[in-house]
Short mmCIF file of all heavy atoms in Angstrom, two decimals:
data_model
loop_
_atom_site.label_atom_id
_atom_site.label_comp_id
_atom_site.label_asym_id
_atom_site.label_seq_id
_atom_site.Cartn_x
_atom_site.Cartn_y
_atom_site.Cartn_z
N ARG D 1 -1.04 -1.61 -1.85
CA ARG D 1 -0.72 -1.68 -3.28
C ARG D 1 -1.97 -1.82 -4.17
O ARG D 1 -1.88 -1.63 -5.36
CB ARG D 1 0.26 -2.80 -3.56
CG ARG D 1 -0.33 -4.19 -3.38
CD ARG D 1 0.60 -5.28 -3.78
NE ARG D 1 1.69 -5.37 -2.84
CZ ARG D 1 2.61 -6.33 -2.86
NH1 ARG D 1 2.58 -7.25 -3.75
NH2 ARG D 1 3.54 -6.35 -1.94
N TYR D 2 -3.10 -2.13 -3.55
CA TYR D 2 -4.35 -2.28 -4.31
C TYR D 2 -5.32 -1.13 -4.07
O TYR D 2 -6.50 -1.23 -4.36
CB TYR D 2 -5.02 -3.60 -3.94
CG TYR D 2 -4.12 -4.79 -4.18
CD1 TYR D 2 -3.48 -5.41 -3.13
CD2 TYR D 2 -3.88 -5.27 -5.47
CE1 TYR D 2 -2.62 -6.48 -3.33
CE2 TYR D 2 -3.02 -6.32 -5.68
CZ TYR D 2 -2.40 -6.92 -4.60
OH TYR D 2 -1.54 -7.97 -4.83
N ALA D 3 -4.80 -0.01 -3.53
CA ALA D 3 -5.65 1.13 -3.17
C ALA D 3 -6.43 1.66 -4.37
O ALA D 3 -7.61 2.03 -4.23
CB ALA D 3 -4.79 2.24 -2.58
N GLU D 4 -5.85 1.69 -5.54
CA GLU D 4 -6.54 2.20 -6.73
C GLU D 4 -7.74 1.32 -7.08
O GLU D 4 -8.80 1.81 -7.47
CB GLU D 4 -5.58 2.27 -7.91
CG GLU D 4 -6.20 2.89 -9.15
CD GLU D 4 -5.21 3.04 -10.29
OE1 GLU D 4 -3.98 3.05 -10.04
OE2 GLU D 4 -5.68 3.13 -11.43
N VAL D 5 -7.60 0.03 -6.93
CA VAL D 5 -8.69 -0.92 -7.23
C VAL D 5 -9.76 -0.87 -6.15
O VAL D 5 -10.95 -0.89 -6.44
CB VAL D 5 -8.13 -2.35 -7.39
CG1 VAL D 5 -9.24 -3.35 -7.57
CG2 VAL D 5 -7.15 -2.41 -8.54
N LEU D 6 -9.34 -0.81 -4.89
CA LEU D 6 -10.29 -0.85 -3.76
C LEU D 6 -11.02 0.48 -3.57
O LEU D 6 -12.09 0.50 -2.98
CB LEU D 6 -9.55 -1.24 -2.48
CG LEU D 6 -8.95 -2.64 -2.49
CD1 LEU D 6 -8.15 -2.89 -1.22
CD2 LEU D 6 -10.02 -3.70 -2.69
N ARG D 7 -10.46 1.56 -4.07
CA ARG D 7 -11.10 2.89 -4.06
C ARG D 7 -11.66 3.29 -2.70
O ARG D 7 -12.78 3.74 -2.59
CB ARG D 7 -12.22 2.94 -5.09
CG ARG D 7 -11.75 2.76 -6.50
CD ARG D 7 -12.88 2.84 -7.46
NE ARG D 7 -12.43 2.38 -8.77
CZ ARG D 7 -13.21 1.87 -9.66
NH1 ARG D 7 -14.49 1.76 -9.46
NH2 ARG D 7 -12.72 1.48 -10.83
N GLY D 8 -10.87 3.07 -1.66
CA GLY D 8 -11.28 3.51 -0.33
C GLY D 8 -12.31 2.63 0.36
O GLY D 8 -12.79 2.96 1.44
N LYS D 9 -12.67 1.51 -0.23
CA LYS D 9 -13.65 0.61 0.41
C LYS D 9 -13.05 0.03 1.67
O LYS D 9 -11.87 -0.30 1.72
CB LYS D 9 -14.06 -0.53 -0.54
CG LYS D 9 -14.61 -0.08 -1.88
CD LYS D 9 -15.97 0.53 -1.70
CE LYS D 9 -16.55 0.83 -3.07
NZ LYS D 9 -17.62 1.70 -3.12
N THR D 10 -13.86 -0.12 2.68
CA THR D 10 -13.38 -0.67 3.96
C THR D 10 -13.87 -2.09 4.20
O THR D 10 -13.45 -2.73 5.15
CB THR D 10 -13.82 0.22 5.13
OG1 THR D 10 -15.25 0.32 5.11
CG2 THR D 10 -13.19 1.61 5.02
N SER D 11 -14.76 -2.56 3.35
CA SER D 11 -15.24 -3.96 3.47
C SER D 11 -15.81 -4.41 2.15
O SER D 11 -16.11 -3.61 1.27
CB SER D 11 -16.28 -4.09 4.58
OG SER D 11 -17.46 -3.39 4.22
N GLY D 12 -15.96 -5.71 2.04
CA GLY D 12 -16.58 -6.31 0.87
C GLY D 12 -17.27 -7.59 1.27
O GLY D 12 -16.97 -8.16 2.34
N ARG D 13 -18.21 -8.05 0.47
CA ARG D 13 -18.92 -9.30 0.78
C ARG D 13 -18.33 -10.40 -0.08
O ARG D 13 -18.28 -10.29 -1.31
CB ARG D 13 -20.42 -9.15 0.48
CG ARG D 13 -21.22 -10.39 0.91
CD ARG D 13 -22.69 -10.21 0.63
NE ARG D 13 -22.97 -10.21 -0.80
CZ ARG D 13 -23.16 -11.31 -1.55
NH1 ARG D 13 -23.09 -12.48 -1.00
NH2 ARG D 13 -23.41 -11.20 -2.83
N ASP D 14 -17.89 -11.48 0.56
CA ASP D 14 -17.36 -12.64 -0.16
C ASP D 14 -18.55 -13.37 -0.78
O ASP D 14 -19.39 -13.91 -0.05
CB ASP D 14 -16.59 -13.55 0.78
CG ASP D 14 -15.94 -14.73 0.08
OD1 ASP D 14 -16.14 -14.90 -1.14
OD2 ASP D 14 -15.24 -15.50 0.76
N VAL D 15 -18.65 -13.37 -2.09
CA VAL D 15 -19.82 -13.99 -2.74
C VAL D 15 -19.82 -15.50 -2.59
O VAL D 15 -20.86 -16.14 -2.77
CB VAL D 15 -19.94 -13.58 -4.24
CG1 VAL D 15 -20.11 -12.09 -4.38
CG2 VAL D 15 -18.75 -14.05 -5.03
N LEU D 16 -18.69 -16.11 -2.26
CA LEU D 16 -18.64 -17.55 -2.08
C LEU D 16 -19.21 -18.01 -0.74
O LEU D 16 -19.81 -19.07 -0.65
CB LEU D 16 -17.20 -18.05 -2.20
CG LEU D 16 -16.51 -17.74 -3.55
CD1 LEU D 16 -15.04 -18.18 -3.50
CD2 LEU D 16 -17.23 -18.41 -4.69
N THR D 17 -19.04 -17.16 0.29
CA THR D 17 -19.50 -17.54 1.63
C THR D 17 -20.59 -16.62 2.17
O THR D 17 -21.26 -16.98 3.14
CB THR D 17 -18.32 -17.49 2.64
OG1 THR D 17 -17.86 -16.15 2.76
CG2 THR D 17 -17.19 -18.41 2.21
N GLY D 18 -20.74 -15.44 1.60
CA GLY D 18 -21.72 -14.48 2.09
C GLY D 18 -21.21 -13.66 3.27
O GLY D 18 -21.91 -12.78 3.76
N LYS D 19 -19.99 -13.93 3.71
CA LYS D 19 -19.43 -13.20 4.86
C LYS D 19 -18.88 -11.83 4.44
O LYS D 19 -18.40 -11.66 3.33
CB LYS D 19 -18.28 -13.99 5.49
CG LYS D 19 -18.73 -15.28 6.13
CD LYS D 19 -17.53 -16.00 6.74
CE LYS D 19 -17.98 -17.30 7.39
NZ LYS D 19 -16.84 -18.03 7.97
N THR D 20 -18.96 -10.88 5.37
CA THR D 20 -18.38 -9.57 5.15
C THR D 20 -16.91 -9.62 5.55
O THR D 20 -16.57 -10.07 6.64
CB THR D 20 -19.12 -8.49 5.96
OG1 THR D 20 -20.47 -8.46 5.54
CG2 THR D 20 -18.48 -7.12 5.76
N ILE D 21 -16.06 -9.17 4.66
CA ILE D 21 -14.60 -9.18 4.87
C ILE D 21 -14.14 -7.75 5.07
O ILE D 21 -14.39 -6.87 4.23
CB ILE D 21 -13.88 -9.80 3.65
CG1 ILE D 21 -14.42 -11.18 3.32
CG2 ILE D 21 -12.37 -9.83 3.88
CD1 ILE D 21 -14.28 -12.22 4.41
N ARG D 22 -13.48 -7.49 6.20
CA ARG D 22 -12.96 -6.16 6.49
C ARG D 22 -11.68 -5.93 5.72
O ARG D 22 -10.80 -6.79 5.69
CB ARG D 22 -12.70 -6.02 7.99
CG ARG D 22 -12.40 -4.59 8.40
CD ARG D 22 -12.15 -4.46 9.88
NE ARG D 22 -10.85 -5.01 10.29
CZ ARG D 22 -9.68 -4.41 10.09
NH1 ARG D 22 -9.64 -3.25 9.48
NH2 ARG D 22 -8.56 -4.96 10.51
N LEU D 23 -11.56 -4.79 5.08
CA LEU D 23 -10.39 -4.44 4.30
C LEU D 23 -9.61 -3.34 5.03
O LEU D 23 -9.90 -2.17 4.88
CB LEU D 23 -10.80 -3.97 2.90
CG LEU D 23 -11.63 -4.97 2.09
CD1 LEU D 23 -12.15 -4.33 0.82
CD2 LEU D 23 -10.82 -6.22 1.79
N GLY D 24 -8.65 -3.75 5.82
CA GLY D 24 -7.83 -2.82 6.59
C GLY D 24 -6.51 -2.63 5.87
O GLY D 24 -6.44 -2.57 4.65
N GLU D 25 -5.43 -2.55 6.64
CA GLU D 25 -4.11 -2.40 6.06
C GLU D 25 -3.63 -3.72 5.43
O GLU D 25 -2.89 -3.70 4.44
CB GLU D 25 -3.11 -1.94 7.11
CG GLU D 25 -3.36 -0.51 7.56
CD GLU D 25 -2.33 -0.07 8.58
OE1 GLU D 25 -1.24 -0.64 8.63
OE2 GLU D 25 -2.65 0.88 9.31
N GLU D 26 -4.03 -4.83 6.04
CA GLU D 26 -3.66 -6.15 5.53
C GLU D 26 -4.88 -7.06 5.53
O GLU D 26 -5.83 -6.85 6.28
CB GLU D 26 -2.58 -6.79 6.39
CG GLU D 26 -1.25 -6.12 6.34
CD GLU D 26 -0.19 -6.87 7.13
OE1 GLU D 26 -0.55 -7.61 8.06
OE2 GLU D 26 1.00 -6.71 6.80
N LEU D 27 -4.82 -8.08 4.69
CA LEU D 27 -5.88 -9.08 4.64
C LEU D 27 -5.25 -10.44 4.82
O LEU D 27 -4.41 -10.86 4.02
CB LEU D 27 -6.62 -9.01 3.30
CG LEU D 27 -7.71 -10.05 3.07
CD1 LEU D 27 -8.84 -9.85 4.10
CD2 LEU D 27 -8.27 -9.93 1.67
N GLY D 28 -5.60 -11.13 5.89
CA GLY D 28 -5.09 -12.48 6.14
C GLY D 28 -5.79 -13.47 5.22
O GLY D 28 -7.01 -13.46 5.10
#
């Protein structure tokens, strides 16, 4: 449901922790 905002990105960096977060079909 957030595909338009995510624009095909497969990961992002959490600026609070510095960890890379994988963006698949679901995010826990």
